[in-house]
Amino acid sequence: MAKVEVKVCLGTTCFVMGGSNLQELNEIIPQKYGDKVELNAANCLGLCSINWEYSKAPYVKVNEAVVSEATVEKVLEEIDKQLGN
Amino acid sequence: MFIDIACSQKKKYNQNAYGDYFASNRFPNMNRIVAVLSDGLGSGIKANILACMTSTMLLKFMENHSDIEKSCEIIMNSLPVCKVRGISYSTFSAIDCFDDGNAKIVEEGNPDFIWIRGGEVLKPEYQSIQSKDFKNRKMKVYNIKLEKYDRVIFCSDGATQVAMGSKRYPLGLERSGLIKIILEKLEQEPEISSKNLSEYLVKQIELIAPNRELKDDTSILSIYCRDPRESLIFTGPPFHGEKDNYYAKTFMEFKGKKAISGGTTANIISRELNIPVIAKLSMNSGKLPGLSEMEGVDLVTEGILTLTKTLEYLENGNAEENAAKTLMDFLLDSDVINFLVGAQMNKAHYDPNLPIEIEIRKNIIKQMAKVLEEKYLKKVNVQFV
C-alpha cells in the first residue's frame, strides 16, 4: 500500500496561526501509524496568500487533500480517512 | 582590504573600574576606521575619567581631521588635574586607518606599537612633536602603509610592565617579551582574529602576573588587515516575479557565505534553480520555526519571525538557542553583510486575525542594518528588489 504523505506548513502565517502546535504530530504519527505515514515539513505551501481574505491557516496537506485551520485531531482524522480506517 | 579591530582589557586587581579606555568608530562610506586607546593616570574611577575623556575627545578630533598637535593641547588643557600629583595626565595611542592601508598613528606615553609583517617586527619612522604648554610631553606621529595580513598591536603599559620586580621579569615583561608571545601565537594560528588574539594576550599577561593579580590596568588593541568575510542574505520574494530567475542565479553565484531568510524565498530559489529545499520537522526550537536545508546555501530560516527575533538579540544580547541565534551568529561572523530584500508583500501577513502583529520586512532590515553598522561596526549593503 502506498504511503500517506503529510506535509505541515511552517510558513510564517501558518506558524503564528497555530502551526507551532502541530509539532506534536512529530511524536504521535510514528507511534500511531508506524511507517505507513510519512511526515514532512514545508517552508510554505503558498496556500495562505491565494485566498488571504478568508485565510484558514494553518494548513496541512495529507497527500493531495488540504486540511485548513489544522489541528492535531483534524490531521489524524484525514489520515485515517485516506488509509481507509 | 578589511581592517579587523578588537580590544581586550583587564582591570587592575581589586579595582572596580577600568583605568584604560578604548573608543573606535568605523565610517563604512569612507572606508575608514578611527580608534583610540587611552591610559588614565593612576587607577580606578579617576583613571577611568581621564582615559575616557581623552579617548572620546581625541576620537572626535581625529574624525574631523583636526590638527593633531592642537587637539592634544586642548585635551591636556581640559583634563581635570590630579589632586595627588598635581598634573593632568593620560597617555594614548590613536590610529586613523583607511581600507587601502594608509594609516596615521599618534602615540603619547603608551608603549610603542608593534607592527608585524610576515613574522617580522617592522621599525617605522616617526616624527617627534614636543608639546608647547607641557614639558616632558612628546608625541610620536607615524604615517605608515599597511599591507594585507599585517598586524598592529597597541597596548597600555600594564601589559609591558607586568610582573615587574619579579625574579623572572625584573623589568617586567617588556615590549620584547610581549612580541615573543605574539609571534609564537601567530605561528600557531596565522589567521587568528583580532578579537581572539587580544583576548589571548590579556589572558597570558594575567598568567604572568604574580598571583594572577594585575598591578595595573591592562589593554591590548589588535588590528589585523585581511580579506573581508562577505555574506549575502536573501529575504522576501522579488517585487517583479519575472525576475525571480535572475535574482536566484545572482544569489547562488555569490562567492561568500549565503543565507535565505523566508520560506517563500527559499521555495522561489528552489523552483528556479531546481535545488530541493528540505524543511526539517525537528522543528521545536522555542517559539520559532526551525531551520531548513538547501544544497549550496549555508543557512535557511523562516522569514519575518526569525528576523524580528534576530534583531531583538542583536540589540539586547541575551539570545536563546534557536534559529534566530543561528542567524545572528551568521551575521556577526561576517565583515561585509549584503541584504537582498524582496519588496513583494505577503498579504496573508497583514490579516487582522493574526494573533501577533507582523512587522514589515523592509523596516526590520533597515533597523538591522543600523544596529549592525553602529553597534557591531559591520559594513552593510541593502538592496531592495
Side-chain angles (χ1 to χ4, degrees):
Chain A
M1 203 175 85
K3 268 190 183 180
V4 171
E5 199 197 358
V6 178
K7 269 194 168 178
V8 179
C9 181
L10 290 184
T12 309
T13 313
C14 288
F15 193 83
V16 299
M17 291 296 279
S20 53
N21 299 330
L22 298 173
Q23 295 177 11
E24 281 176 43
L25 289 171
N26 230 358
E27 287 175 17
I28 298 173
I29 286 187
Q31 261 179 30
K32 195 164 174 198
Y33 302 103
D35 57 4
K36 279 192 280 185
V37 176
E38 196 185 320
L39 181 63
N40 286 316
N43 275 314
C44 177
L45 293 169
L47 296 165
C48 58
S49 51
I50 295 172
N51 200 357
W52 68 278
E53 272 167 276
Y54 310 103
S55 173
K56 292 194 163 64
Y59 292 101
V60 173
K61 263 182 146 180
V62 179
N63 284 338
E64 286 311 304
V66 173
V67 182
S68 54
E69 295 181 318
T71 58
V72 172
E73 291 73 26
K74 275 172 111 173
V75 174
L76 295 180
E77 209 175 283
E78 182 61 33
I79 294 172
D80 284 336
K81 201 169 123 193
Q82 301 242 356
L83 283 171
N85 288 350
Chain B
M1 195 161 72
F2 180 82
I3 312 289
D4 175 16
I5 183 166
C7 182
S8 184
Q9 300 183 309
K10 199 93 201 179
K11 291 184 288 240
K12 176 178 172 178
Y13 177 71
N14 251 346
Q15 286 287 356
N16 44 26
Y18 288 88
D20 296 347
Y21 197 90
F22 165 69
S24 78
N25 206 353
R26 193 184 283 276
F27 303 89
N29 301 336
M30 294 158 69
N31 298 321
R32 175 182 181 216
I33 187 158
V34 181
V36 182
L37 174 67
S38 174
D39 178 357
L41 178 77
S43 54
I45 292 292
K46 177 176 69 184
N48 182 279
I49 292 170
L50 288 166
C52 177
M53 283 181 71
T54 306
S55 296
T56 39
M57 281 194 279
L58 193 55
L59 192 73
K60 280 278 168 264
F61 282 127
M62 289 191 77
E63 277 173 23
N64 301 318
H65 300 286
S66 313
D67 177 47
I68 192 78
E69 221 176 314
K70 229 183 234 166
S71 312
C72 290
E73 299 281 322
I74 295 173
I75 292 168
M76 284 186 269
N77 279 317
S78 28
L79 290 180
V81 176
C82 170
K83 221 175 177 179
V84 185
R85 299 170 182 85
I87 46 173
S88 62
Y89 200 87
S90 63
T91 65
F92 63 81
S93 308
I95 179 164
D96 183 358
C97 183
F98 291 85
D99 283 4
D100 61 4
N102 281 314
K104 181 176 184 178
I105 293 175
V106 185
E107 284 180 334
E108 215 280 348
N110 273 354
D112 290 351
F113 71 94
I114 302 164
W115 183 10
I116 297 170
R117 176 177 296 166
E120 302 280 329
V121 179
L122 303 182
K123 288 194 187 111
E125 290 189 359
Y126 60 86
Q127 193 194 342
S128 196
I129 299 176
Q130 172 73 44
S131 161
K132 283 187 208 107
D133 302 348
F134 296 82
K135 277 172 197 163
N136 307 326
R137 300 215 66 173
K138 244 187 221 163
M139 275 188 305
K140 288 179 179 172
V141 180
Y142 302 79
N143 282 299
I144 61 172
K145 171 98 180 158
L146 296 170
E147 286 180 11
K148 205 184 268 181
Y149 310 120
D150 278 8
R151 290 188 188 260
V152 179
I153 316 281
F154 295 92
C155 62
S156 59
D157 58 2
T160 48
Q161 291 175 0
V162 65
M164 193 188 269
S166 68
K167 224 172 178 181
R168 190 162 168 212
Y169 300 104
L171 299 172
L173 177 64
E174 295 188 271
R175 189 167 174 268
S176 54
L178 183 61
I179 289 174
K180 207 171 149 226
I181 299 176
I182 298 171
L183 291 179
E184 270 172 23
K185 186 67 186 170
L186 288 179
E187 206 176 318
Q188 286 167 17
E189 284 185 63
E191 291 183 4
I192 188 170
S193 70
S194 281
K195 181 171 170 282
N196 291 350
L197 181 64
S198 60
E199 279 169 6
Y200 171 82
L201 292 174
V202 169
K203 188 84 211 153
Q204 293 307 307
I205 289 161
E206 199 183 10
L207 290 174
I208 289 168
N211 303 324
R212 317 249 187 289
E213 293 171 5
L214 291 171
K215 292 262 163 37
D216 193 3
D217 301 290
T218 300
S219 305
I220 299 283
L221 169 58
S222 165
I223 287 173
Y224 179 27
C225 308
R226 57 169 166 75
D227 290 316
R229 293 168 300 180
E230 284 208 49
S231 62
L232 174 62
I233 295 98
F234 195 170
T235 178
F239 190 78
H240 297 289
E242 65 273 17
K243 284 198 172 165
D244 283 354
N245 189 272
Y246 169 76
Y247 289 120
K249 278 186 180 152
T250 312
F251 176 76
M252 270 307 181
E253 280 163 9
F254 184 76
K255 289 278 184 299
K257 288 190 302 168
K258 296 183 270 283
I260 301 172
S261 184
T264 311
T265 318
N267 287 345
I268 287 173
I269 293 173
S270 166
R271 182 193 72 212
E272 293 298 325
L273 304 178
N274 203 14
I275 307 169
V277 50
I278 301 149
K280 286 193 286 187
L281 247 188
S282 55
M283 38 189 181
N284 201 347
S285 42
K287 288 174 189 141
L288 291 176
L291 302 174
S292 306
E293 282 176 354
M294 189 186 235
E295 210 184 299
V297 183
D298 300 280
L299 180 65
V300 184
T301 72
E302 177 273 344
I304 285 294
L305 301 176
T306 311
L307 288 169
T308 310
K309 206 70 188 167
T310 305
L311 176 61
E312 196 184 309
Y313 290 163
L314 285 170
E315 280 171 342
N316 306 329
N318 324 319
E320 292 168 54
E321 266 322 311
N322 56 28
K325 164 109 183 342
T326 316
L327 182 59
M328 177 173 85
D329 292 341
F330 177 92
L331 294 169
L332 295 186
D333 232 19
S334 319
D335 306 312
V336 180
I337 301 164
N338 303 288
F339 285 100
L340 198 56
V341 186
Q344 201 181 110
M345 292 242 189
N346 186 341
K347 286 176 190 161
H349 288 181
Y350 307 103
D351 182 342
N353 293 324
L354 246 48
I356 57 163
E357 202 174 321
I358 290 184
E359 260 285 4
I360 294 172
R361 189 184 310 269
K362 225 158 64 177
N363 295 345
I364 295 267
I365 298 295
K366 273 186 193 160
Q367 286 175 49
M368 200 179 269
K370 194 164 174 256
V371 65
L372 284 169
E373 272 177 356
E374 288 174 5
K375 187 169 170 192
Y376 298 95
L377 305 178
K378 305 286 181 196
K379 261 191 211 177
V380 185
N381 304 310
V382 182
Q383 191 190 351
F384 294 100
V385 294

